[in-house]
Amino acid sequence: MTFSLAVLSRAFAAVGCALICQGAAAQGPNYKALLIGVSEYPGLPKSSQLSGPRNDVERLRSVLVQRGVAPAAITVLADGVEGAQMPTRGHILDQLGELARGAKPGDYIIITFAGHGSQVPVPAGHPMAAEEPDGLFEVFLPRDAQGWASTAQAPEGEARNVLYDHEIRAQVDRIAASGAFVWVIFDSCHSATMVRNGSSDNSVRLRQIPPEGLGIPQTVIDRAVARASAPRPSIRAGLAAPSNPGRAVYFYAAQTTEATPEMPLPAGQQPNRIHGLFTHLLAQTLEGGGGMTYRQLYQQVLARNGSTSQARSTPIAAGTQLDAPVLGQTAPKLRQWSLLGEGRLAAQAGALTDLRVGSIVAILPSAVAADAQALGYARVKRVTLGESELEPIEHEGKGARALRELATGAVARLVRPAPPLEFTVSVDLSRCGEKCLFDPAMALLKRASAPQPNDPPQLPIRWVGSGQAADVALVAVERRLWLLPPAMAGDPLCTKSTRATRPICEAELERGVAAVVAGSGATPQGTAETLQGMLRAAAKAENILRIASLSGQAGFAQQITTELQVERNGRRLTGAEWAQGCLDADPRYLLGPPSMASSICLRGQDRVQLEVLNKGNRAFDLTVLYIDSRFGVTPMYPGAGSVNRVEARASVRVPLEITDDVIGIERVVVFAVESPAAHAGTLDLSFLAQPSLETVEQTRSGARGEEDDAIALFRSAGFGEGLATRGVEHVTVPTRMGAQVFTWQVTRPGASSRP
């Protein structure tokens, strides 16, 4: 799914617990909180009753007040809590609707759910059926929930008074669209089992009721699953990008195949109370005080969860603002990753997450520890695409600690990045003319890219002459300097066009290739600065493709199947028609020689659907990136805020709508990473996004605006030491990570085209 809160569509399936938070307005956040806890279910069997949700609500209310939320801004719907309304379906929907209607920019809205979750079959023909590939809706059970029964409107039956995931999602979408920040907590599951801890009592209870626990016949479930598994006749439109992802963060108590428990906590201590384990760990971290980001909060909860003997689930975090400060309060900006444990010193980050051979990290005892609390330091010794092996070193006056001592840490925090990758650029100024502005600009650029002692890492460019192999070719034609892909380095660039066809050629070239135009008042210094920024973006896109090619399809062969479908004018094309599209293209609109085009030619308004199937028995994390001909990188999956974990035997459909705003060679890159450890969080590579390069008319100094954090972080465009052609041996491709690249040419049809 690719809309803003697709995460909530799978929230109960991803299980349980979501938080959504948003940044504050300049004058400080206007907090509003809705805390929902359901402990008693009069309409369900005695075995379905809980004890912890009422305690969760009171604990979270106390934490929010401690963190600066006014008590009057907190609304509680919970049974067993003095002064609270009952958490019925009607009351919950009313309060969610009121929050949505009143939400505005500057609001900071916290919503929590604690209670039972379950799954119910999707009725035949339901308008939301396409959003549930497993054929089951995830539901939260309010206090007045009742079991399965047939009605005139639902002859097959329906669960009465449940709260559907899409009902919650619709209200939260409205809040996010208003500009408010949302923090939603789900501490519930979609199935239930009684389990025991090491003692003989029933002190651990799972917050889940299976479909059969609601009295749903297995035949009804089987029919719903079969309907969801049936082939779909056409590609759905309008899902290419979320309409309004908003600023949001989501935390989930467990994955789709797991259960989240409640139990007496703190475990083994007196006094204690029954709490949901996830809520307890979350509150415990927040009660520690101090500023932290959502990513730090999640990493700390994850580490504590992994060290808890009663843990039966793996929390997941998602959202558009994981690096924002919790509750909009002050927090340092840090780059850190969880340690993988298992008796070795390794971080859950690698070539694609800004760790390179030679990078230095501090090993910290917790995700929220101060730098001064470092157990010691380590250097990245070896990287794969998703992991980094570390070795202890002496640094900052601390001696090299024993590996076994550092392996007890929680996170590795980046303190010194390694030098980035080399990027090769060819230059051809032969068609620039006399007094070429680009000549002195190139001299400045080459001088600036030469490394100097004590300089921070810069993009290391290797400059080569015209006609030599390069990652990008800079070719000047009169007042324009084009950034060309390698295959177009020898292109005439419209210089051989007739007077009649040259305007068309130049217009299409503009659509597919970025350039710098030497305008009135342009200076060599400003032009060099502009080119430096554009080359950084180009290097980033090219190195994503380079890394993908290293992994090849090895990881896909055993576990992952991908299928590409193309629909044009309402009809699905065959593979032969894809290739025919290149022959039918008007040559005036085909960038570069035909030999450089892929065997697939697409047109504006074509619809493409990529289906990724997990054939294996273990889950993997999926990221799909679209890289256009002007080096733009657009995440197509997951949608903003979505959880990107694909469970065993599950599939994901990623719809794309082709536009001809940018034409030329474009690629879709599919990365799949198997989770390296049971306690590890998801790996979402959407942060690699960047806008397409635009043609820039250089008029004056050309100084660039301040880079955002992501671009500054990746301005070197290096995602792993040794990934250059001559150093591939430094990077190994793990069998649990795979990548696949689909390439096509976007063009316009010729007069003879048919489909």
Side-chain angles (χ1 to χ4, degrees):
M1 281 172 277
T2 53
F3 61 94
S4 62
L5 294 176
V7 62
L8 285 178
S9 167
R10 307 305 302 165
F12 302 94
V15 169
C17 196
L19 294 172
I20 306 178
C21 291
Q22 170 167 337
Q27 70 274 19
N30 178 34
Y31 294 118
K32 298 179 183 179
L34 174 61
L35 312 183
I36 301 165
V38 186
S39 300
E40 299 175 0
Y41 292 90
L44 298 178
K46 184 177 180 180
S47 60
S48 302
Q49 310 310 306
L50 297 171
S51 301
R54 58 171 64 97
N55 299 332
D56 291 348
V57 164
E58 292 183 328
R59 178 91 175 269
L60 288 173
R61 177 167 57 182
S62 174
V63 169
L64 291 177
V65 170
Q66 174 191 334
R67 285 260 169 181
V69 180
I74 302 173
T75 299
V76 176
L77 300 179
D79 45 17
V81 175
E82 185 177 354
Q85 278 191 310
M86 285 296 176
T88 62
R89 170 181 161 84
H91 285 157
I92 293 172
L93 286 176
D94 286 347
Q95 289 297 328
L96 287 174
E98 184 174 333
L99 284 175
R101 286 189 295 273
K104 61 185 181 302
D107 285 353
Y108 202 113
I109 296 176
I110 306 108
I111 305 172
T112 76
F113 287 83
H116 273 309
S118 188
Q119 291 179 301
V120 300
V122 177
H126 195 283
M128 300 298 294
E131 306 299 336
E132 301 294 347
D134 59 357
L136 301 172
F137 282 132
E138 285 70 50
V139 296
F140 180 79
L141 303 187
R143 177 182 168 86
D144 53 345
Q146 298 182 41
W148 195 256
S150 299
T151 65
Q153 294 77 23
E156 274 197 327
E158 63 179 355
R160 293 159 292 172
N161 294 333
V162 299
L163 196 57
Y164 290 90
D165 53 0
H166 52 82
E167 293 180 299
I168 299 173
R169 182 172 65 247
Q171 298 300 337
V172 180
D173 261 334
R174 290 176 59 195
I175 296 172
S178 75
F181 196 111
V182 195
W183 185 2
V184 185
I185 305 175
F186 281 94
D187 198 347
S188 61
C189 300
H190 62 265
S191 60
T193 305
M194 292 295 293
V195 297
R196 298 178 184 269
N197 61 4
S199 65
S200 60
D201 64 8
N202 293 335
S203 60
V204 180
R205 183 182 295 269
L206 301 186
R207 293 182 175 179
Q208 27 178 251
I209 294 181
E212 59 268 24
L214 292 174
I216 304 174
Q218 187 61 45
T219 54
V220 177
I221 297 173
D222 291 343
R223 285 196 292 269
V225 172
R227 285 194 295 268
S229 302
R232 302 188 183 186
S234 62
I235 300 170
R236 290 176 292 132
L239 294 177
S243 57
N244 190 333
R247 295 176 299 157
V249 174
Y250 313 88
F251 284 18
Y252 299 90
Q255 301 182 46
T256 60
T257 55
E258 299 171 333
T260 183
E262 66 170 41
M263 65 193 74
L265 292 166
Q269 297 183 28
Q270 294 294 335
N272 58 33
R273 299 178 76 187
I274 294 177
H275 283 286
L277 177 61
F278 180 81
T279 299
H280 168 72
L281 297 177
L282 182 70
Q284 190 178 60
T285 303
L286 290 171
E287 287 164 348
M292 67 189 78
T293 66
Y294 288 101
R295 195 180 302 277
Q296 285 179 279
L297 173 60
Y298 165 62
Q299 289 170 334
Q300 183 68 356
V301 169
L302 195 66
R304 285 177 168 170
N305 184 76
S307 63
T308 301
S309 62
Q310 300 294 352
R312 292 169 174 81
S313 57
T314 305
I316 293 177
T320 61
Q321 296 287 299
L322 281 173
D323 291 310
V326 170
L327 290 173
Q329 298 163 356
T330 303
K333 292 185 177 181
L334 302 170
R335 292 291 292 170
Q336 63 186 33
W337 305 271
S338 299
L339 293 181
L340 294 176
E342 301 174 350
R344 59 195 180 112
L345 189 60
Q348 190 196 4
L352 283 167
T353 44
D354 197 40
L355 270 187
R356 301 182 290 273
V357 171
S359 296
I360 297 176
V361 297
I363 306 300
L364 297 161
S366 78
V368 294
D371 290 348
Q373 296 175 275
L375 302 175
Y377 296 87
R379 178 186 290 113
V380 176
K381 178 181 178 182
R382 185 178 296 107
V383 297
T384 68
L385 299 185
E387 296 181 13
S388 294
E389 183 181 341
L390 310 174
E391 59 180 355
I393 62 167
E394 181 181 352
H395 186 70
E396 294 292 337
K398 287 191 176 183
R401 301 284 295 275
L403 187 148
R404 65 179 180 276
E405 296 178 68
L406 294 184
T408 62
V411 298
R413 181 175 296 166
L414 184 66
V415 295
R416 180 181 295 176
L421 290 177
E422 181 178 80
F423 189 64
T424 306
V425 181
S426 67
V427 182
D428 180 1
L429 303 182
S430 62
R431 289 174 277 179
C432 186
E434 294 184 9
K435 297 183 179 179
C436 178
L437 172 71
F438 301 119
D439 203 347
M442 293 304 306
L444 288 171
L445 190 57
K446 291 177 181 179
R447 193 181 311 152
S449 61
Q452 301 295 322
N454 302 319
D455 276 358
Q458 299 292 321
L459 173 62
I461 298 176
R462 181 164 63 92
W463 302 94
V464 298
S466 174
Q468 293 185 258
D471 296 308
V472 167
L474 296 180
V475 179
V477 179
E478 298 173 352
R479 295 171 52 251
R480 290 179 184 268
L481 184 67
W482 299 97
L483 276 75
L484 302 177
M488 288 186 66
D491 193 278
L493 300 177
C494 307
T495 57
K496 294 185 179 180
S497 301
T498 66
R499 179 177 297 181
T501 61
R502 184 162 182 170
I504 298 175
C505 177
E506 290 179 342
E508 294 309 304
L509 193 60
E510 287 267 5
R511 293 160 70 88
V513 182
V516 177
V517 181
S520 175
T523 65
Q525 177 67 35
T527 304
E529 290 180 3
T530 298
L531 280 169
Q532 187 178 55
M534 296 175 80
L535 286 173
R536 285 171 179 165
K540 177 177 171 181
E542 289 298 312
N543 279 318
I544 291 172
L545 293 169
R546 188 183 301 180
I547 290 169
S549 67
L550 281 175
S551 67
Q553 299 187 41
F556 286 79
Q558 298 178 0
Q559 183 175 358
I560 304 162
T561 298
T562 56
E563 180 184 357
L564 197 66
Q565 300 170 358
V566 179
E567 186 180 272
R568 180 173 298 157
N569 298 329
R571 185 174 65 83
R572 183 171 296 173
L573 303 186
T574 66
E577 288 174 316
W578 295 353
Q580 184 65 33
C582 296
L583 299 177
D584 287 343
D586 188 325
R588 295 177 299 174
Y589 303 115
L590 192 66
L591 290 188
S595 60
M596 70 164 280
S598 90
S599 60
I600 304 176
C601 275
L602 302 180
R603 308 172 191 161
Q605 299 184 356
D606 281 354
R607 288 177 180 160
V608 177
Q609 180 166 269
L610 174 69
E611 182 165 6
V612 183
L613 170 65
N614 182 0
K615 300 185 298 183
N617 296 318
R618 297 185 63 179
F620 65 77
D621 300 339
L622 179 69
T623 304
V624 180
L625 304 176
Y626 192 91
I627 301 180
D628 64 42
S629 63
R630 293 207 303 248
F631 308 108
V633 181
T634 304
M636 303 310 299
Y637 186 88
S642 300
V643 169
N644 66 328
R645 181 143 293 171
V646 181
E647 298 295 341
R649 309 296 176 180
S651 64
V652 169
R653 297 180 179 95
V654 183
L656 313 169
E657 185 165 343
I658 303 301
T659 69
D660 57 7
D661 294 338
V662 177
I663 67 173
I665 295 292
E666 311 206 326
R667 298 172 177 87
V668 169
V669 186
V670 182
F671 285 108
V673 188
E674 189 176 285
S675 179
H679 66 274
T682 59
L683 178 62
D684 178 0
L685 304 176
S686 298
F687 62 85
L688 295 172
Q690 66 180 15
S692 301
L693 290 179
E694 300 290 342
T695 291
V696 177
E697 181 168 1
Q698 200 66 46
T699 55
R700 296 203 232 335
S701 66
R704 298 185 311 279
E706 185 176 343
E707 295 174 332
D708 63 38
D709 291 341
I711 295 299
L713 202 64
F714 284 91
R715 62 189 182 138
S716 65
F719 309 113
E721 178 68 17
L723 285 177
T725 303
R726 293 171 292 176
V728 173
E729 66 274 6
H730 291 290
V731 176
T732 58
V733 180
T735 56
R736 60 168 166 256
M737 186 165 193
Q740 187 169 1
V741 180
F742 294 92
T743 302
W744 55 67
Q745 173 120 331
V746 178
T747 185
R748 294 187 182 183
S752 62
S753 300
R754 291 290 181 270

